Each structure stands twice: as structure tokens, then as C-alpha cells.
Amino acid sequence: MNKISKLAVLTSGGDAPGMNPCIRAVVRTALYNGIEVVGVRQGYKGLIENDMYDMDKRSVSNILNLGGTILKTARCLPFKEDEGMATAYKHLKERGIDALVVIGGDGTFTGALRFSRKFPDIAVMGVPGTIDNDLYGSTYTLGFDTATNTVIQAIDKIRDTADAHDRLFFIEVMGRDSGAIALRAGISCGAEAILLPEKQTAVADLIKNLKEGKSNKKSSSIVIVAEGDKNGGVYDVAKAVQQEVKDYDVKVTILGHLQRGGSPSSFDRILGSRLGFAAVNALIAGESQKMVGLQANHILLTSLDDALNNHEFKLEADLLQMADILSI
Ligand code: ATP
């Protein structure tokens, strides 16, 4: 077993609700085990710019309910360069830090793995914190549940007005490479169609389905379009449909950044707490270059290499099929 005496924690990439409960768990689990904790501001940028501070038990008081991240996050291009990594390493060593917990998505993990391979004397542990739910090794990532609930609340409101006016709404949700939010929100809100990056939907089929819905006396329709859908974006799809489905008044709503904000759900508070707790315990057990993740309600370790490169991760085919059948 490696003895960890001081660890640093950072949040990186896109913010995700649940990062704060996770930071709290990392800090308090480390302190409980006699490990000092340093908070790094703005992800890898803070490592390079030496923007870090000592954290104590009270540094994480009353943050369980806060969205965003008290450590701030950033996208940091210099960390992709050898020089940036060397500067980060120097600052960590100067502070006597021997382990790093990184909370973020696949970009964050790519950086962490490269860094750890270059400087293996600093152990790294990843926590999947991204609303995209697109990492192999964790059925759910931190922030996905809250973001999906936020989307559902917004779509429910849109459904009210869509129904009142017999309108067809196209709603764009986040997910450049992942249709996870679109799929879950689509099932939860009874969307008439869900357009995802993982599955090509022909616009002609979409038009046919919407026409059928109208002839089956549907008074409103909702089509959820993930950002990464391959039909050219929500406005293009809406335009193509409006030309063919004349009886509907077509509207477009882009939910945008509101999807990232808000107080974490119970699920994300508990998941963040479990993952943060497990990350520190894994480091204490001498693990490195791994990710903690939720699998069948257990917290298990996956190598960062597998988490990044195992492309078996897919959206559940049964959910896709069910969504189609239930929305007739
Ligand atoms: P999200 O899934 O929410 O977008 P993410 O962690 O994937 O989160 P990115 O912006 O892709 O977000 O990555 C976060 C940071 O990780 C980057 O700004 C950069 O500092 C670092 N990073 C990404 N790719 C690499 C890489 N190849 N080498 C070193 N560092 C990297």
C-alpha cells in the first residue's frame, strides 16, 4: 500500500450538478483518514497557474445543495502540451501532493491518464462527472440525473402550451455525442420522436410519424433533438417538417445552459458522495489510473484506459424501441 499524505482535488471540463457533494465527500473522507487536502481552482488551469488552497472540514460546509462547482472548472489547452503538464507536476511536487482526484468527463480523464503515465509518482483517480452519461464503467455519471430532471420540467411546461395551441415543438437538448439526456427525457415526457447522435432518423420517417399522429387526433407533438443529431440541427429539421406538415404550427426551443444548472437531485447528491468517498479509499488502497463508477448499485473501479477506450458503451436498444412504441 502507498501512503498518501496529501491529495489535490479538481473539477474539469463541463460543470455537472453533483460535483459539489463529491468534492465534500473527497475532502471529508481524506481528512478522516489523516490526509491533507488541497482544492485546485479551475481544473488543470489551476495546476498550471498554481491556483490552489488548503481545504478543511468547513471548506465544504453547506455545499451539498449547490449546483456548479465551488472549485470552478475550465477548459485548459496548455495542459495538453508537455510543458503545461511539467509545470503542473512541479507545482504539485512543491506542495508535497502525492495524489490527485479529477472530477470530469472523457477529456479530463484523457489528460489525467497522460499526466499519470508521464509522472507515475502522483496517483490519479477519476470521478465521472458529466451530464452526458457517456463513460464506460459507470451506469450513471454525476449530473446526468439532475440535468435530465431539469429537461423534463422544462418540456412539461412546453407541452402545456403546445397542447393549448395544437403546436409541434422541436426541443434541442444537450448531447453533442451522446443521446442519453434526449432518450431519458423523451421517455419521461412522452415525446413523439427522439433524434439522437447514435441513431440516424430519416426526416421522411419523422414526417410520416408526425402526420400519423395528427390523423390519430394528437393535439400537440414534441420532438426532442439532441445537439449531435446528424440531420443538420434542430432548425433544419423543424424547417423540413414544417414544409410537409402544414396543419401544425411548428416552434423551436433550445434549452441550452439551463440544463447544467440547479440544485443536484437526491440521486446525484448520493452518487457524488459515494464516488468521492470511494475515490479517496481507492487511493488509500494504492490504486491509480482508475475511475470509480456505479455498476449494479456497487461502486467499482475501471481503468481509465478502459473507461476511455471501451466503445461497447451504447444507448440501451430496449429503451429506444420502447420509446417508439409508447409514443404512438
Ligand atoms: P465534458 O464531458 O463535460 O465535456 P470533459 O472532461 O470531457 O467534460 P473537455 O473539455 O473535453 O471536458 O476536457 C477537459 C480538460 O481536460 C481540457 O480542457 C484539457 O485541459 C484536458 N484534456 C482534454 N484532452 C486532453 C488531452 N488529450 N491531453 C491532456 N489534457 C487533455
Side-chain angles (χ1 to χ4, degrees), residues 224-239:
I224 299 183
V225 184
E227 281 170 309
D229 171 64
K230 305 286 188 295
N231 285 302
V234 67
Y235 283 109
D236 281 3
V237 181
K239 202 168 149 198

Side-chain angles (χ1 to χ4, degrees), residues 39-50:
V40 183
R41 292 192 186 90
Q42 294 192 289
Y44 295 128
K45 187 164 179 266
L47 289 185
I48 292 175
E49 296 180 358
N50 209 0

Side-chain angles (χ1 to χ4, degrees), residues 9-323:
V9 55
L10 61 80
T11 49
S12 162
D15 59 310
M19 284 180 161
N20 283 326
C22 185
I23 295 165
R24 172 178 175 270
V26 168
V27 171
R28 293 196 174 163
T29 308
L31 294 173
Y32 173 83
N33 286 286
I35 299 169
E36 291 177 66
V37 188
V38 170
V40 183
R41 292 192 186 90
Q42 294 192 289
Y44 295 128
K45 187 164 179 266
L47 289 185
I48 292 175
E49 296 180 358
N50 209 0
D51 189 4
M52 312 180 208
Y53 64 104
D54 294 337
M55 298 184 86
D56 62 23
K57 286 178 200 161
R58 298 282 77 78
S59 313
V60 289
S61 294
N62 303 327
I63 66 166
L64 270 171
N65 56 324
L66 301 180
T69 156
I70 61 160
L71 293 175
K72 311 276 186 186
T73 181
R75 311 226 187 236
C76 172
L77 293 180
F79 193 72
K80 294 187 176 183
E81 309 299 328
D82 288 348
E83 197 187 332
M85 285 210 182
T87 306
Y89 177 73
K90 179 171 148 284
H91 291 149
L92 287 168
K93 290 305 276 186
E94 280 169 1
R95 289 173 181 269
I97 291 165
D98 37 30
L100 185 59
V101 176
V102 298
I103 308 168
D106 53 354
T108 300
F109 288 178
T110 304
L113 186 56
R114 279 189 56 210
F115 180 79
S116 180
R117 283 179 173 154
K118 260 173 158 334
F119 305 110
D121 55 325
I122 296 189
V124 300
M125 193 56 55
V127 175
T130 167
I131 64 169
D132 290 339
N133 205 34
D134 59 352
L135 283 165
Y136 175 82
S138 197
T139 313
Y140 294 105
T141 58
L142 210 45
F144 169 65
D145 182 68
T146 307
T148 306
N149 279 308
T150 302
V151 168
I152 289 169
Q153 285 166 16
I155 295 176
D156 284 349
K157 293 188 171 90
I158 291 169
R159 176 71 85 176
D160 290 345
T161 177
D163 209 43
H165 286 274
D166 284 4
R167 279 179 174 150
L168 164 57
F169 267 87
F170 286 82
I171 302 172
E172 187 195 90
V173 301
M174 281 188 172
R176 272 191 292 273
D177 302 306
S178 163
I181 290 179
L183 177 59
R184 292 294 202 292
I187 292 169
S188 304
C189 298
E192 277 61 33
I194 308 167
L195 274 53
L196 310 158
E198 293 89 343
K199 181 180 167 243
Q200 183 72 38
T201 305
V203 175
D205 292 342
L206 175 64
I207 291 168
K208 183 169 157 282
N209 290 345
L210 290 168
K211 281 183 173 169
E212 269 173 27
K214 193 72 182 159
S215 63
N216 285 332
K217 301 199 171 19
K218 276 193 186 253
S219 59
S220 64
S221 284
I222 301 276
V223 177
I224 299 183
V225 184
E227 281 170 309
D229 171 64
K230 305 286 188 295
N231 285 302
V234 67
Y235 283 109
D236 281 3
V237 181
K239 202 168 149 198
V241 170
Q242 177 73 91
Q243 283 165 358
E244 295 293 325
V245 188
K246 305 272 189 226
D247 351 355
Y248 266 135
D249 181 16
V250 174
K251 299 283 176 202
V252 173
T253 300
I254 295 179
L255 294 183
H257 281 82
L258 74 81
Q259 295 165 83
R260 286 200 181 275
S263 183
S265 63
S266 158
F267 183 86
D268 278 327
R269 293 182 198 197
I270 292 166
L271 182 63
S273 301
R274 290 180 79 185
L275 293 174
F277 181 74
V280 174
N281 285 324
L283 286 167
I284 292 170
E287 299 284 359
S288 183
Q289 300 187 1
K290 302 245 166 90
M291 176 194 94
V292 287
L294 183 73
Q295 297 178 39
N297 207 22
H298 294 284
I299 304 293
L300 300 176
L301 295 177
T302 301
S303 73
L304 285 179
D305 204 13
D306 276 351
L308 289 167
N309 297 314
N310 195 321
H311 296 297
E312 276 174 30
F313 176 84
K314 288 191 196 85
L315 281 185
E316 302 91 332
D318 58 326
L319 291 190
L320 283 168
Q321 191 201 14
M322 185 185 76

